[in-house]
Amino acid sequence: MASSFGERLRVSVYGESHGNGIGALIDGLPAGEAVDTDALARFMQRRQGGRAGTTARREPDIPEFVSGVTDGRTNGFPLCIRIANTNTRSSDYNNLADTPRPSHADYAAHVKWLGQADMRGGGHFSGRLTAPLCAAGGIAKQILARRGVHVGAHILSVANVQDDRFPMLVEPWFFDNIAARAVPVIDAEAGEQMQREIMNAAADSDSVGGRIECMITGLPAGLGDPMFDGIENRIARAVFGIPAVKGLEFGGGFTLCTLRGSAANDPLTVDKNGVIMTVSNHSGGIQGGITNGMPVVFTVGLKPTPSIAQPQQSVSLSARTETQLEIHGRHDPCIVVRAVPVVEAVAALVALDTLLIGNPQ
Amino acid sequence: MASSFGERLRVSVYGESHGNGIGALIDGLPAGEAVDTDALARFMQRRQGGRAGTTARREPDIPEFVSGVTDGRTNGFPLCIRIANTNTRSSDYNNLADTPRPSHADYAAHVKWLGQADMRGGGHFSGRLTAPLCAAGGIAKQILARRGVHVGAHILSVANVQDDRFPMLVEPWFFDNIAARAVPVIDAEAGEQMQREIMNAAADSDSVGGRIECMITGLPAGLGDPMFDGIENRIARAVFGIPAVKGLEFGGGFTLCTLRGSAANDPLTVDKNGVIMTVSNHSGGIQGGITNGMPVVFTVGLKPTPSIAQPQQSVSLSARTETQLEIHGRHDPCIVVRAVPVVEAVAALVALDTLLIGNPQ
Amino acid sequence: MASSFGERLRVSVYGESHGNGIGALIDGLPAGEAVDTDALARFMQRRQGGRAGTTARREPDIPEFVSGVTDGRTNGFPLCIRIANTNTRSSDYNNLADTPRPSHADYAAHVKWLGQADMRGGGHFSGRLTAPLCAAGGIAKQILARRGVHVGAHILSVANVQDDRFPMLVEPWFFDNIAARAVPVIDAEAGEQMQREIMNAAADSDSVGGRIECMITGLPAGLGDPMFDGIENRIARAVFGIPAVKGLEFGGGFTLCTLRGSAANDPLTVDKNGVIMTVSNHSGGIQGGITNGMPVVFTVGLKPTPSIAQPQQSVSLSARTETQLEIHGRHDPCIVVRAVPVVEAVAALVALDTLLIGNPQ
Amino acid sequence: MASSFGERLRVSVYGESHGNGIGALIDGLPAGEAVDTDALARFMQRRQGGRAGTTARREPDIPEFVSGVTDGRTNGFPLCIRIANTNTRSSDYNNLADTPRPSHADYAAHVKWLGQADMRGGGHFSGRLTAPLCAAGGIAKQILARRGVHVGAHILSVANVQDDRFPMLVEPWFFDNIAARAVPVIDAEAGEQMQREIMNAAADSDSVGGRIECMITGLPAGLGDPMFDGIENRIARAVFGIPAVKGLEFGGGFTLCTLRGSAANDPLTVDKNGVIMTVSNHSGGIQGGITNGMPVVFTVGLKPTPSIAQPQQSVSLSARTETQLEIHGRHDPCIVVRAVPVVEAVAALVALDTLLIGNPQ
């Protein structure tokens, strides 16, 4: 099932940019869990357009619970979320049916679905589909928090502007502080520089990419499975479902490739409560695919928004000739800002699934 | 199923470093495909120990076909590969039962399996398990080649020594040339420098990490599925099953995060045969999870071998105190050299699965 | 994922009897397929309440396509169906929270979800969930018909009243004729007797069970996979998801258990076009899990509706004592009549999935 | 993956009748579980040929543990079982390559694998493949017994000879007594009649079918998932993987189709320990797909062995003409006797998987 992931907690996403609605179906949530819709709305607002450097398309994106919730609590059955599509301007996309946008799914989708896919606004590949993903992940975050598991993320870089990395150990308030900022970063000054970088790109009818660092705290050691079903594999499968993600690394990631083992290894230690920990966390909380009790840390790389207002070289699918393309419509010059809660959402869903699978022995 | 991956072509890996044998079970291979055992042996030899900078443990690793092959051809049924474990020195691991090796799966596995896992030599997490993975992938490579699909890989870097990147379009002989080298690189001089880097690390009782670039050519456009079952997701799930992999990027990967859209986008063009192509391949042949007909390109980052001969800080699981650990046994100072065919194997298995799934319409 | 089935065509069902709505999510439909909503409405009407011997709860059950359909055609993306719940009388269920209905899911669900499931009207276990299943299956039937595959079913028995069995080979009009009848049977007289049987049971505040025979024609030989993913396994997994199904047999089924091999075997023959067929079809079109080109035939057994108006012995969950239970509300004295299109729907979905998986070689 | 089933406990079966070996791969077994090889050998002996009414092909079928077992205990990693094929007489099958045996997989497999499958002795469809299934299930039975879950089965009928049904509640010794008999039945006299029935069929160069009733005791209430992943669905998917199975019913099964609700429903009661039970068990321990704490009961129908020594009508695949077929080789006149432990094995594997999945809340 292409548009779903997870084992015990299974999330499916549906909808197209310019269809009646979009949504998510979540199967496997524990029953009796309160869903705080205000907190959920605040979480979803973090991925909303309308802020500086984001698209002018702004929709309320209030998730309706079609099923799975009774009197404000999960009722044990599949939770269907539906979000209306209210603000679509299909005319913006009239010229795209025959002229695929470079580095979009347009051409690949044209071949795959023999020209029959509804690709207006990117169709099912649209960034709008991350709204129901956030709704699902926001619910997972609430359930995780009650079990002592917290998920946070921040922009690690935009273009060449760098934020600080997460410290090795983080309390939940640290995540909250980041989330409260217009640009979710640790170093506020870096955030301002990022905004300038984004505005400059917009002024040039261009876009920029960036990286997001995400952390999951509170997962007990011993979760996950070896080889192809480790925590890394589970996160990887889900994270590459977020539009524009082209890279993923865990803990020290690619930096470890330049280090020697003596520097990359995480020495073990025992804290005052007798809990075994590591002194550093280059492993990102995962060894052999299995949690070791340290925070799970990963970094995601997003390419710049491929939709830019500059004329670009494309082709006419019907004529099989080169042609110039001008993309109209409303597009983020930098998707990274809005992608932060999306990464958190995906991380939360994988973490909750992992908790529910547990460690069957 | 933790130790397996794939949908129509499903590969399961079994065995422990110090058990009776290791192997793989491959379900879903097309029937009637010749298995060239000589070519397979040559492919598997590429991951063999015994060369400069690799472990002294050397085993013939001749795969036996327990099932699935009749008269040298696949017979339509699950192909079970078995490789004997002949060269184990368990005494090397006597001190490890109570003292987990830093940045190994030892501690996480101890918690998960309540101390009951057979972790001698790394158990099921051992790099030895990549031998059956190579056997499976080597067979997939032979089948793919008959269908015009080719897979190659090279070391992109060791520590800070860089090889050239693959050119955008590559013929099969290019892959063969790389594979024929002692150090599989494009720039032979870089290969020699890498070897020196590895020897230096070994001399210091240390290890180094590195990166591998892999390419799949010949896949038609329109394969893969959106969101969570795209080619990136399929490769990601499998690649993070290779021991020591901590990072993965497609096409331009993390480099794209620093670029503007105008530089990162792949303009479209039409070749002289009317085939639609892209002028650059920053997307790594995948857009929206679906192949666009260009070569699929990804880069994998491997951390330095965590087993090093230097004393390291660990803990006693029983006493819950810190302790010094000295690891004996035979270990590669750089796993990257031997991991090149493993990455190819995994890529080939995912590519063949993708071909078999096809594009159901 | 509990509430979904299928591999390439994946159907998920959501909703509770007394929630906001119910529906289905269908991932993997081919693109560009026309959806005839009139034909779909006619198909869905076949499972509607309001006819003699069925519940008084009558809802229009018009499926809304939230996604996946553009301009009356499938658009390649997950098709989300939503059906409103308009006619719920929760007060009927007030006494059931503490007193599980015999042979309903009430008690098992109470234990599983720790009393937190919304079991009003049977919750997610309600027969109402077969409406979206029919919507999904009705679309599959339309697509199958264009590919020469047809699905039909009839009531084989109610209580001890027997209908004729399908002839070995059946044309589509034969299915249509059955479907047009108030009681979908081959032998109209048997249908009238069945209605009397049902009315008698209703008059006694009781219910009756029955059997449904289903046939899929036009599937080519060579589809399906051996052992645990054969056509039988695929149908079985799906069919036991229909409420009240307690038995399933293929072809001759349990009757074969009393026969000798010489009588049970299907001799092979060649028709005038050189097509290999069997002289009889005791195998139900499936041998070794794989289609042999003959019609796929299976029979489903449904228990009598467990909701009856007679007082029954139950327990108080809180008091842990026996108690008498009287069930109010509107219930079918015989679910078999309405289950006929549901069985067709499930068969059609499995058949289309099987066609889409194809025979990868 | 065609030849595997299960979610957390995943069993894959491999091998062909006339290949090097057959076996099973079991992923997900709990670690530290003792494997009693003597008890396992005794269990496997129950499906051995060589007794009256079974094939003359007799092989020791001693399972070798290639991986997954260390010092007699499961070690947390995939357990690979291998059984040698020592007693093959391929010449018996020479005439079958072009002449499919009626009601065997021969013709369907010929089409599916384009004539490339190794169908000697039935290939991967052979009843021999149930040996590794028994090995896997025998290990599961041992683990289940330590957790208070027991699995037993008996022949319910051969041709028209009926055994008694299981009483509603059964102690483990009852299963043991049945298993100790040459013909595993409750009513010894019925067993003798069955043997005569089988011998008569053999004397006529014919075969007979029959039914097996299986029971799982000790499963707690609240396991399983609604709709398509209930206990019934899980058992169904696995059971139809046993060669010759053509029917399956749970609890009262098809008998319930003739009953009224008032007779079919299982009234609830409370035992002296305050445990909620049902007075009858027509539901077979499953309601809405979920265990209710009563024994899980199901009945399997097996068709007569299709291989009979009588001449039969078949076709020549190459000539596309009808032809007479005479099957040589060694075949059971009644597979039902040997299938009893196979059904137990499959039931045990599903039960253990269900326990390991648990009830995530």
Side-chain angles (χ1 to χ4, degrees):
Chain A
M1 200 178 185
S3 299
S4 76
F5 67 97
E7 180 182 324
R8 277 282 110 193
L9 183 75
R10 187 97 190 163
V11 183
S12 309
V13 174
Y14 66 86
E16 309 93 42
S17 180
H18 289 216
N20 293 334
I22 57 178
L25 182 57
I26 319 168
D27 195 353
L29 285 171
E33 295 279 352
V35 178
D36 179 338
T37 50
D38 289 341
L40 186 60
R42 283 193 302 275
F43 178 67
M44 292 189 66
Q45 209 148 13
R46 288 174 53 201
R47 75 158 282 289
Q48 273 292 14
R51 294 200 289 192
T54 60
T55 170
R57 177 173 176 181
R58 194 196 300 237
E59 309 197 31
D61 282 351
I62 297 176
E64 174 202 1
F65 301 131
V66 183
S67 67
V69 175
T70 303
D71 298 337
R73 290 183 180 272
T74 57
N75 63 21
F77 303 132
L79 195 163
C80 181
I81 288 167
R82 178 182 180 164
I83 298 173
N85 274 341
T86 56
N87 187 349
T88 56
R89 292 192 354 213
S90 296
S91 61
D92 287 340
Y93 296 92
N94 282 349
N95 62 331
L96 301 178
D98 190 55
T99 317
R101 293 166 299 173
S103 289
H104 265 283
D106 297 3
Y107 172 64
H110 174 81
V111 177
K112 178 176 174 59
W113 286 288
L114 313 171
Q116 303 285 344
D118 179 3
M119 291 298 288
R120 290 171 301 157
H124 188 56
F125 297 91
S126 162
R128 248 191 89 54
L129 270 290
T130 57
L133 207 47
C134 276
I139 294 169
K141 283 189 76 165
Q142 296 182 14
I143 297 172
L144 285 170
R146 287 177 206 128
R147 297 167 188 219
V149 176
H150 297 273
V151 180
H154 68 107
I155 305 181
L156 184 59
S157 67
V158 165
N160 285 307
V161 186
Q162 309 283 332
D163 191 19
D164 298 333
R165 284 205 166 263
F166 275 127
M168 192 173 82
L169 299 176
V170 165
E171 295 295 317
W173 59 260
F174 194 88
F175 295 150
D176 295 340
N177 282 5
I178 293 170
R181 295 188 159 157
V183 177
V185 288
I186 296 171
D187 172 6
E189 208 169 305
E192 283 167 33
Q193 259 185 284
M194 288 173 184
Q195 257 180 317
R196 279 194 294 275
E197 196 75 40
I198 296 168
M199 245 108 81
N200 288 345
D204 297 346
S205 300
D206 215 331
S207 61
V208 276
R211 291 178 300 153
I212 294 168
E213 188 186 34
C214 183
M215 182 183 270
I216 310 169
T217 65
L219 279 179
L223 296 178
D225 284 288
M227 303 214 70
F228 306 107
D229 197 24
I231 305 297
E232 284 148 329
N233 312 256
R234 292 179 194 173
I235 290 176
R237 198 200 157 189
V239 147
F240 279 109
I242 302 175
V245 170
K246 294 302 271 189
L248 171 64
E249 49 185 7
F250 290 89
F254 281 103
T255 311
L256 300 178
C257 306
T258 63
L259 296 184
R260 286 196 167 182
S262 55
N265 283 358
D266 295 316
L268 289 147
T269 186
V270 183
D271 81 357
K272 59 186 177 199
N273 303 313
V275 177
I276 291 170
M277 301 180 62
T278 57
V279 174
S280 54
N281 189 16
H282 299 124
S283 303
I286 308 164
Q287 277 153 347
I290 300 167
T291 55
N292 68 352
M294 300 297 291
V296 169
V297 184
F298 64 91
T299 302
V300 162
L302 295 104
K303 67 176 184 180
T305 325
S307 287
I308 54 176
Q310 293 179 30
Q312 296 183 81
Q313 177 183 327
S314 182
V315 294
S316 160
L317 293 173
S318 54
R320 298 267 140 175
T321 53
E322 285 185 13
T323 181
Q324 284 287 98
L325 171 71
E326 288 196 38
I327 302 177
H328 309 293
R330 301 152 294 177
H331 302 285
D332 287 337
C334 182
I335 202 73
V336 183
V337 184
R338 295 176 64 188
V340 171
V342 181
V343 171
E344 288 180 29
V346 164
L349 290 163
V350 173
L352 182 54
D353 188 26
T354 292
L355 271 188
L356 292 172
I357 295 169
N359 185 8
Q361 280 298 328
Chain B
M1 200 177 184
S3 299
S4 76
F5 67 96
E7 180 181 324
R8 276 282 110 194
L9 183 74
R10 186 96 189 162
V11 183
S12 309
V13 174
Y14 66 86
E16 309 94 42
S17 180
H18 289 217
N20 293 333
I22 58 179
L25 182 57
I26 319 168
D27 196 354
L29 285 171
E33 295 280 351
V35 178
D36 179 336
T37 51
D38 290 340
L40 185 60
R42 282 194 302 275
F43 177 67
M44 291 189 66
Q45 208 146 15
R46 288 174 54 202
R47 72 159 285 288
Q48 273 291 15
R51 293 200 288 193
T54 59
T55 171
R57 177 173 176 180
R58 194 195 300 236
E59 311 197 30
D61 283 351
I62 297 176
E64 175 202 0
F65 302 130
V66 183
S67 67
V69 175
T70 302
D71 298 336
R73 290 183 181 270
T74 57
N75 63 20
F77 302 132
L79 195 164
C80 181
I81 288 168
R82 177 182 182 164
I83 299 173
N85 273 341
T86 55
N87 187 350
T88 56
R89 293 196 347 218
S90 296
S91 60
D92 287 341
Y93 297 90
N94 282 349
N95 63 329
L96 301 178
D98 190 54
T99 316
R101 292 166 298 172
S103 289
H104 265 282
D106 297 2
Y107 172 64
H110 174 80
V111 176
K112 178 176 173 61
W113 287 288
L114 313 171
Q116 302 285 345
D118 179 1
M119 291 298 288
R120 291 171 299 157
H124 189 55
F125 298 90
S126 163
R128 248 191 89 56
L129 270 288
T130 58
L133 206 47
C134 275
I139 294 168
K141 284 189 73 163
Q142 296 181 13
I143 297 172
L144 285 171
R146 287 178 207 126
R147 295 166 190 221
V149 176
H150 298 273
V151 180
H154 68 106
I155 305 181
L156 184 60
S157 67
V158 164
N160 286 307
V161 185
Q162 310 283 332
D163 191 19
D164 298 334
R165 283 203 166 266
F166 275 126
M168 194 172 81
L169 298 176
V170 164
E171 294 295 318
W173 60 260
F174 195 87
F175 295 149
D176 295 341
N177 281 5
I178 293 170
R181 293 187 163 159
V183 178
V185 287
I186 296 172
D187 172 5
E189 208 168 306
E192 283 167 34
Q193 258 186 282
M194 288 173 185
Q195 256 179 318
R196 278 192 296 274
E197 196 75 39
I198 295 167
M199 244 108 82
N200 288 345
D204 297 346
S205 301
D206 215 333
S207 61
V208 276
R211 291 179 300 154
I212 293 169
E213 189 186 35
C214 183
M215 182 183 270
I216 310 169
T217 66
L219 280 179
L223 296 178
D225 285 287
M227 302 214 70
F228 306 107
D229 197 25
I231 305 297
E232 285 148 327
N233 311 255
R234 292 179 194 171
I235 289 176
R237 198 201 159 191
V239 148
F240 280 109
I242 303 175
V245 170
K246 295 301 272 188
L248 171 65
E249 50 186 6
F250 291 88
F254 282 103
T255 310
L256 301 178
C257 305
T258 63
L259 296 184
R260 287 195 164 182
S262 55
N265 283 357
D266 295 316
L268 289 147
T269 186
V270 183
D271 81 358
K272 58 184 180 202
N273 302 313
V275 176
I276 291 170
M277 300 179 61
T278 57
V279 175
S280 53
N281 189 15
H282 298 124
S283 302
I286 309 164
Q287 278 153 347
I290 300 167
T291 54
N292 67 353
M294 299 296 290
V296 169
V297 184
F298 64 91
T299 303
V300 162
L302 295 103
K303 67 176 183 180
T305 325
S307 288
I308 55 176
Q310 293 178 28
Q312 295 183 85
Q313 178 183 327
S314 181
V315 294
S316 160
L317 294 173
S318 54
R320 298 268 141 174
T321 53
E322 286 185 12
T323 180
Q324 284 288 96
L325 172 71
E326 288 197 38
I327 302 177
H328 309 293
R330 301 151 294 177
H331 303 284
D332 287 338
C334 183
I335 203 72
V336 182
V337 184
R338 296 175 63 189
V340 170
V342 181
V343 171
E344 288 180 28
V346 164
L349 290 163
V350 173
L352 183 54
D353 188 25
T354 292
L355 271 188
L356 293 172
I357 294 169
N359 185 9
Q361 280 299 327
Chain C
M1 200 177 186
S3 299
S4 76
F5 67 96
E7 179 181 325
R8 276 282 110 193
L9 183 74
R10 187 97 190 162
V11 183
S12 310
V13 175
Y14 65 86
E16 307 95 42
S17 180
H18 289 217
N20 293 333
I22 58 177
L25 182 56
I26 319 167
D27 195 354
L29 285 171
E33 295 280 351
V35 179
D36 179 337
T37 51
D38 289 340
L40 185 60
R42 282 194 301 275
F43 178 66
M44 291 188 66
Q45 210 146 12
R46 290 174 51 203
R47 73 159 283 288
Q48 272 292 15
R51 293 199 288 192
T54 59
T55 170
R57 177 174 175 178
R58 194 195 298 238
E59 311 197 30
D61 283 351
I62 298 176
E64 175 202 1
F65 301 130
V66 183
S67 67
V69 175
T70 302
D71 298 336
R73 289 182 181 272
T74 57
N75 63 21
F77 303 131
L79 196 164
C80 182
I81 288 168
R82 178 183 180 163
I83 298 173
N85 272 342
T86 56
N87 187 349
T88 57
R89 292 198 345 219
S90 295
S91 60
D92 286 341
Y93 296 92
N94 282 350
N95 63 331
L96 301 177
D98 190 54
T99 317
R101 293 166 297 174
S103 290
H104 265 283
D106 297 4
Y107 171 65
H110 175 81
V111 176
K112 177 175 173 62
W113 286 288
L114 314 170
Q116 303 285 343
D118 179 2
M119 292 297 289
R120 292 171 300 158
H124 188 56
F125 298 90
S126 162
R128 247 191 89 55
L129 271 289
T130 58
L133 207 47
C134 275
I139 294 170
K141 283 188 76 164
Q142 296 182 13
I143 297 173
L144 285 170
R146 287 177 206 127
R147 298 167 188 220
V149 176
H150 298 272
V151 180
H154 68 107
I155 304 181
L156 184 59
S157 67
V158 164
N160 286 307
V161 186
Q162 310 283 333
D163 191 19
D164 297 335
R165 285 205 164 264
F166 275 128
M168 194 173 81
L169 299 174
V170 164
E171 293 296 316
W173 60 259
F174 195 88
F175 295 149
D176 295 341
N177 282 5
I178 294 170
R181 294 187 162 161
V183 177
V185 287
I186 295 171
D187 171 6
E189 207 168 307
E192 282 165 35
Q193 260 187 280
M194 288 174 187
Q195 257 180 316
R196 278 193 295 276
E197 196 76 40
I198 295 168
M199 245 108 79
N200 289 345
D204 297 345
S205 301
D206 216 332
S207 61
V208 276
R211 291 179 301 153
I212 294 168
E213 189 186 34
C214 183
M215 183 184 270
I216 310 169
T217 65
L219 280 179
L223 296 178
D225 285 286
M227 303 212 73
F228 307 106
D229 197 24
I231 305 297
E232 284 149 328
N233 312 257
R234 292 178 194 172
I235 290 176
R237 199 203 156 188
V239 148
F240 279 109
I242 303 174
V245 170
K246 295 302 273 188
L248 171 65
E249 49 185 6
F250 291 89
F254 282 103
T255 310
L256 301 178
C257 306
T258 63
L259 296 184
R260 287 199 167 181
S262 55
N265 283 357
D266 295 316
L268 288 146
T269 186
V270 182
D271 80 359
K272 58 183 179 205
N273 302 313
V275 177
I276 292 171
M277 299 180 62
T278 57
V279 174
S280 54
N281 188 17
H282 299 124
S283 301
I286 308 165
Q287 278 154 346
I290 301 168
T291 54
N292 68 352
M294 298 298 289
V296 169
V297 184
F298 64 91
T299 302
V300 163
L302 294 102
K303 67 175 183 181
T305 326
S307 288
I308 55 175
Q310 293 178 29
Q312 296 183 84
Q313 177 183 327
S314 181
V315 294
S316 159
L317 294 173
S318 54
R320 299 265 140 179
T321 53
E322 285 185 12
T323 180
Q324 284 287 96
L325 173 71
E326 289 197 38
I327 302 177
H328 309 292
R330 302 152 293 179
H331 302 285
D332 286 339
C334 183
I335 202 72
V336 182
V337 186
R338 296 176 62 189
V340 171
V342 181
V343 171
E344 288 181 28
V346 164
L349 291 163
V350 173
L352 182 53
D353 188 25
T354 292
L355 271 188
L356 293 173
I357 294 169
N359 186 7
Q361 279 300 328
Chain D
M1 200 178 183
S3 300
S4 77
F5 67 97
E7 180 182 325
R8 277 280 108 194
L9 184 74
R10 187 96 190 160
V11 183
S12 310
V13 174
Y14 66 86
E16 308 93 43
S17 180
H18 289 218
N20 293 333
I22 57 178
L25 182 56
I26 319 167
D27 196 353
L29 285 171
E33 295 280 352
V35 178
D36 179 337
T37 50
D38 289 341
L40 185 60
R42 283 194 301 275
F43 177 67
M44 292 189 66
Q45 209 146 13
R46 290 173 51 201
R47 75 158 282 290
Q48 272 292 15
R51 294 199 288 193
T54 60
T55 171
R57 176 173 177 181
R58 194 196 300 237
E59 310 198 30
D61 282 351
I62 298 176
E64 174 201 1
F65 302 130
V66 183
S67 66
V69 175
T70 303
D71 298 336
R73 289 182 180 272
T74 58
N75 63 22
F77 303 131
L79 196 163
C80 182
I81 287 168
R82 178 183 180 161
I83 299 173
N85 273 341
T86 56
N87 188 350
T88 58
R89 294 200 342 222
S90 296
S91 60
D92 286 340
Y93 296 91
N94 282 349
N95 63 329
L96 301 178
D98 190 55
T99 317
R101 294 165 297 173
S103 290
H104 265 283
D106 297 4
Y107 172 65
H110 175 80
V111 177
K112 176 175 175 62
W113 286 287
L114 315 170
Q116 302 285 344
D118 179 1
M119 291 299 287
R120 290 171 301 158
H124 188 57
F125 298 90
S126 163
R128 246 191 92 52
L129 271 289
T130 58
L133 207 46
C134 277
I139 294 169
K141 284 188 75 163
Q142 296 182 13
I143 297 172
L144 286 170
R146 286 176 207 128
R147 297 166 188 220
V149 176
H150 297 273
V151 180
H154 68 108
I155 305 180
L156 183 60
S157 67
V158 164
N160 286 307
V161 186
Q162 310 282 333
D163 192 18
D164 298 332
R165 284 205 166 264
F166 275 127
M168 193 172 82
L169 299 176
V170 165
E171 295 295 317
W173 60 259
F174 194 88
F175 295 149
D176 295 341
N177 282 5
I178 293 170
R181 294 187 161 158
V183 177
V185 287
I186 296 171
D187 172 5
E189 208 169 304
E192 281 167 35
Q193 259 186 281
M194 288 173 185
Q195 257 181 317
R196 279 194 295 274
E197 196 75 40
I198 295 168
M199 244 108 79
N200 289 344
D204 297 345
S205 301
D206 216 332
S207 61
V208 275
R211 290 179 301 152
I212 293 168
E213 188 186 35
C214 182
M215 182 183 271
I216 310 169
T217 65
L219 279 179
L223 296 178
D225 284 287
M227 303 213 71
F228 306 107
D229 196 25
I231 305 296
E232 283 148 329
N233 312 258
R234 292 178 195 172
I235 289 176
R237 199 203 156 186
V239 148
F240 280 108
I242 303 175
V245 170
K246 295 301 271 190
L248 171 65
E249 50 186 4
F250 291 88
F254 281 102
T255 311
L256 301 178
C257 306
T258 63
L259 296 185
R260 286 198 167 181
S262 55
N265 283 358
D266 296 315
L268 289 146
T269 187
V270 183
D271 80 358
K272 57 183 180 200
N273 303 312
V275 176
I276 292 170
M277 301 179 62
T278 57
V279 174
S280 54
N281 188 17
H282 299 125
S283 303
I286 308 164
Q287 279 153 346
I290 301 167
T291 54
N292 67 352
M294 298 298 289
V296 169
V297 184
F298 64 91
T299 303
V300 163
L302 294 103
K303 67 176 184 181
T305 325
S307 288
I308 55 175
Q310 293 178 30
Q312 296 183 84
Q313 177 183 328
S314 181
V315 294
S316 159
L317 294 173
S318 54
R320 299 267 138 176
T321 53
E322 284 185 15
T323 180
Q324 284 287 98
L325 172 71
E326 289 196 39
I327 302 177
H328 309 292
R330 302 152 292 177
H331 303 285
D332 286 338
C334 182
I335 203 72
V336 183
V337 185
R338 295 177 62 190
V340 171
V342 181
V343 171
E344 289 180 28
V346 164
L349 290 163
V350 173
L352 183 54
D353 188 25
T354 292
L355 271 188
L356 293 173
I357 293 169
N359 186 8
Q361 281 298 329

